[in-house]
Amino acid sequence: MIYDAIVIGGGFYGATIAHYLKTQRKFKKVALIERGQGLLLRASYNNQARVHNGYHYPRNFTTAYRSRVNLPRFLKDYPEAIKRDLTCLYAISRNNSNVSVKQFERFCHEIDARLESAPEKMSKLFETRLIEKVFLVEEYVFSATKLAELVKEKLDECGVEVRLNKHASVIGVEPAGLTVDVGDGRDRMNGATSERLNAHYMFNCTYSAINQFTRQSLKPPTPLKHEIAEMALIQVPPVLSNLGITVMDGPFFSMMPFPAKGLHTLSHVRYTPHCHWDDASGTGPYEKLDEYDRKTRVVRMVRDAARYIPAMNDVQYVESLFEVKTVLLKNESNDGRPILFEKHSDLPGCFSILGGKIDNIYDVLERLNAEPLDLQGK
Ligand SMILES: Cc1cc2nc3c(=O)[nH]c(=O)nc-3n(C[C@H](O)[C@H](O)[C@H](O)COP(=O)(O)OP(=O)(O)OC[C@H]3O[C@@H](n4cnc5c(N)ncnc54)[C@H](O)[C@@H]3O)c2cc1C
């Protein structure tokens, strides 16, 4: 049996692409292979849940602009997963910020993003010695659990074959088409069974694991940077409830509601990344995270955040989410979050896709629209 397409990786990207192939491209047999016990449990869950609207990227116009284009589509496609009843504030630090108040205002004007001075009740929360100005902006968060529920419903409806607890390893090519070796369980070395699946098209959507395949490919993989990131989950005092706060633009922090848990995430540019490495080291990202001791840095995050917002002294720490965050090495310094959309010329029909943010899935779908993805004569 040969699949029309096999999608490897059941995060938001893989699941959305599998749904697209089935519904928009009318592929008959599509399988989605996921190594974990469920869908959208890795980076698609362990993130800050911010639906970006451009404000976060004053140093990268293209990423900011794409966020502006993609946000309305995401809100329309997943309305039940979006939390709209929150107030989002962007505060510009007086010191060490890569953007001044004037530059931020000009940038928001250029990307046509709504920007207002925050009402006094809110700007009063900030230490004026450290914060020059506070703006009210239009930004949202999503519930990762609700998003997963909606995605699963869509996959069920259209009949994508979802195969959980399946670990894909070797991608190859045979005269009849592409192949992928798939083992049961997470540990292939412990006698887990393996089968070889065939497909006309193959989509590698494994995010941080995207370069971990043994491929019959001569081309070197695209350089990636990984980091182990900690998002602290906190209970905030009533005065901060339902607020999303981002201090710009440098070694500062942000705090957003996290609807999946009824808590807030707290991340800090200095303390959230615990360590980083590039793919060249050959270390498997999930293995690296499994071995990591996960000692929280929440005390340092809160201590620094409380300098800017004294009410942060009253937050209660609950737990932390740890995940591997992966970006293209070339965007390390310019803050860009473009997609990687790679066609493997020596594995015809095989694509590797990496998304920098949840909503730029739409950039991927646009790229796929431009692909013939022809099944005639296959
Ligand atoms: C700490 C952090 C904060 C972030 N904050 C935001 C934010 O606020 N807003 C935003 O828009 N984006 C944010 N992002 C980025 C966003 O989370 C990712 O762009 C997005 O989730 C990527 O989705 P994905 O489906 O590619 O990855 P994933 O959800 O990680 O899916 C990849 C899947 O592939 C599976 N897999 C891996 N290897 C194999 C294999 N060999 N065989 C089978 N299955 C395999 C994994 O188990 C996983 O389920 C953040 C990311 C991180 C890590």
Side-chain angles (χ1 to χ4, degrees), residues 8-14 33-36 42-44 46-50 52 166-168 205-207 209 213 229 231 286 323-325 355-359:
I8 309 165
F12 183 63
Y13 274 69
I33 309 289
E34 166 55 44
R35 80 201 274 274
R42 295 299 311 223
S44 299
N46 297 316
N47 64 68
Q48 197 157 31
R50 186 195 301 260
H52 282 275
K166 297 286 181 193
H167 191 297
C205 305
T206 55
Y207 189 60
F213 288 88
M231 313 288 289
Y286 295 125
E323 187 52 278
V324 179
K325 185 168 189 169
K357 299 188 286 98
I358 285 284
D359 60 291

Side-chain angles (χ1 to χ4, degrees), residues 52-72 90 103-115 137-139 248 357:
H52 282 275
N53 196 7
Y55 303 100
H56 207 262
Y57 298 103
R59 283 183 286 134
N60 199 297
F61 183 84
T62 310
T63 296
Y65 177 75
R66 292 309 303 172
S67 301
R68 297 279 299 135
V69 172
N70 290 330
L71 171 124
Y90 271 59
Q103 286 167 335
F104 190 64
E105 285 173 331
R106 196 177 324 126
F107 157 75
C108 290
H109 180 70
E110 276 167 12
I111 60 166
D112 197 22
R114 229 178 73 198
L115 190 71
V137 303
E138 187 188 351
E139 209 174 52
M248 295 290 278
K357 299 188 286 98

Side-chain angles (χ1 to χ4, degrees), residues 34 291 339 343:
E34 166 55 44
E291 285 161 15
I339 54 162
K343 279 163 81 167

